[in-house]
Amino acid sequence: MTSLSDLPLRASLVGKEPYGAPQDPVPVSLNVNENTHPIPEEVLADITASLAEAVRGVNRYPDREFGELRTALAGYLGHGLDADGLWAANGSNEVLQQILQAFGGPGRTLLSFTPTYSMYPLLASGTDTGWIPVPRPADYALTAEGVAAALREHRPDIVILCGPNNPTGTPLERDVILAAYDAFDGILIVDEAYQEFDAERESAVSLLPGRHRLLVSRTMSKAFAFAGVRLGYLAADPAVIDALRLVRLPYHLSALTQAAATAAIRHADAMLATVADIRAQRDRLDTALTELGYTVHPSGANFLLVGGFRDPSATFAALRSQGILIRDLGIPGHVRITAGTEAETSAVIEAIAALGPGGA
Ligand SMILES: *Cc1c(COP(=O)(O)O)cnc(C)c1O
């Protein structure tokens, strides 16, 4: 039987592991930060009607420039953006890959502050971009001085600041973004996958005017409850969008994706109506786990990084056997738990309480 090591794989991929969050059909899935609330019925009806209309046209290639969707996304983000400053792809992972294809590559580097989103190093190796992980301080919170010093030391070509940060939940402050932008002359990406959950901070989209190296990445996969559609998007200077056109595959966004996403954005208020409840469930989870003696890190997202587990992989296995999926990210003593519906959140609280001290 042939195995991977028998193949003439690119050197930069040898020994790498694919992205691998478990996909189990369990009753309570709180491991990949989805919005676990269902899509409202009236929105479903409009999306279905839009898809039916789009299907009539699928003998033709879709609008390569997805103008209607870009206009809708610009309207949703506001801040005076228009369609030529918007881009989208099949998930923000694909947007990030296109950015690395255009601005990274052999001889170039991507820097981020770890622990952070596990896809960044994978996207770097997939594009032969060097990966520079810089450890966060003990409380995971970035400071303007710390970030500026790291960028001056390493002089990367691309930097990603994830705010709120996955997997720690740590919010990202505006002064850190501004200090990063001024500390180097490369591409600065702010990954705002969880921005809608952070009621306290304004989107970095407001910082775009006059900053052509600043790119703000967003997704419909989290707050928008649209992970299965695969739609990520970017706000940036129109020249950056022109650069991404050099690497995107022709017609990369299917007519069905464009129709579904455009319809969902028409109902943004209804789609985002669950965000307040998810934040309330997150805070309830925080209070309950703190009372049980665990350490909960401050979060601006729809998940919590929780410390104090004696053996995170044993806790993961114990909960999985009860039909509850959480995430063991290999951070010693820690697990990550997504805030779900009220019932899901109660289920995970009760299951962890029943495990006893240290989750054993
Ligand atoms: C979930 C997530 C994404 C979103 O990925 P999609 O490809 O849009 O589903 C991007 N960045 C971070 C930090 C995430 O956690």
Side-chain angles (χ1 to χ4, degrees):
M1 213 173 78
T2 312
S3 77
L4 196 51
S5 58
D6 299 323
L7 298 175
L9 198 61
R10 266 165 51 203
S12 56
L13 298 179
V14 171
K16 292 279 188 316
E17 295 279 335
Y19 176 85
Q23 281 198 300
D24 269 7
V26 295
V28 182
S29 279
L30 302 175
N31 66 330
V32 288
N33 300 340
E34 296 149 334
N35 182 337
T36 66
H37 295 64
I39 294 174
E41 279 303 324
E42 72 276 15
V43 183
L44 274 183
D46 193 23
I47 294 171
T48 307
S50 299
L51 283 169
E53 189 56 36
V55 169
R56 287 180 200 284
V58 295
N59 56 314
R60 304 285 185 186
Y61 281 113
D63 174 4
R64 200 171 48 219
E65 294 297 322
F66 47 102
E68 201 185 342
L69 174 57
R70 284 163 69 196
T71 302
L73 288 168
Y76 169 66
L77 285 182
H79 293 280
L81 285 171
D82 46 35
D84 64 356
L86 259 294
W87 186 249
N90 297 285
S92 51
N93 285 315
E94 188 178 68
V95 175
L96 295 172
Q97 183 177 54
Q98 291 174 345
I99 297 167
L100 288 177
Q101 287 175 319
F103 298 103
R108 296 204 173 187
T109 54
L110 166 67
L111 182 151
S112 194
F113 295 89
T114 55
T116 191
Y117 187 37
S118 61
M119 277 304 297
Y120 301 154
L122 287 178
L123 291 165
S125 69
T127 56
D128 271 343
T129 307
W131 165 240
I132 305 176
V134 176
R136 288 174 175 255
D139 65 355
Y140 303 129
L142 299 178
T143 63
E145 305 72 46
V147 165
L151 302 200
R152 285 199 205 95
E153 179 190 341
H154 296 285
R155 308 203 141 276
D157 298 285
I158 305 172
V159 170
I160 307 181
L161 298 178
C162 187
N165 183 51
N166 182 7
T168 62
T170 320
L172 176 63
E173 303 298 343
R174 171 163 296 242
D175 65 321
V176 176
I177 302 171
L178 293 172
Y181 191 84
D182 292 336
F184 81 134
D185 55 12
I187 295 290
L188 176 62
I189 304 166
V190 179
D191 183 345
E192 290 193 338
Y194 301 96
Q195 206 281 332
E196 287 96 341
F197 294 108
D198 188 354
E200 280 80 43
R201 284 161 200 81
E202 197 184 11
S203 166
V205 165
S206 65
L207 301 175
L208 287 173
R211 295 189 180 87
H212 67 277
R213 296 179 289 108
L214 177 64
L215 285 58
V216 184
S217 161
R218 304 277 293 245
T219 181
M220 294 181 75
S221 294
K222 307 290 161 60
F224 237 92
F226 233 40
V229 173
R230 310 302 301 126
L231 201 288
Y233 54 104
L234 183 80
D237 191 283
V240 170
I241 312 289
D242 282 342
L244 302 187
R245 280 196 186 88
L246 300 173
V247 298
R248 65 94 178 271
L249 297 173
Y251 316 107
H252 68 289
L253 272 188
S254 84
L256 304 183
T257 303
Q258 294 184 38
T262 306
I265 293 162
R266 276 200 293 275
H267 300 275
D269 288 347
M271 294 292 278
L272 294 173
T274 55
V275 165
D277 181 53
I278 294 165
R279 287 164 44 89
Q281 298 309 322
R282 175 196 71 199
D283 295 343
R284 189 163 75 90
L285 185 61
D286 183 345
T287 306
L289 295 181
T290 303
E291 277 170 12
L292 287 170
Y294 294 99
T295 307
V296 180
H297 295 276
S299 173
N302 65 334
F303 58 84
L304 294 173
L305 183 70
V306 188
F309 290 90
R310 260 205 296 278
D311 180 356
S313 63
T315 302
F316 171 84
L319 296 182
R320 188 180 191 165
S321 71
Q322 297 174 51
I324 300 173
L325 267 188
I326 60 167
R327 195 75 181 271
D328 170 16
L329 299 133
I331 302 176
H334 287 73
V335 300
R336 193 192 66 194
I337 309 172
T338 308
T341 60
E342 184 172 2
E344 289 166 334
T345 305
S346 297
V348 75
I349 291 170
E350 283 159 26
I352 291 176
L355 292 176

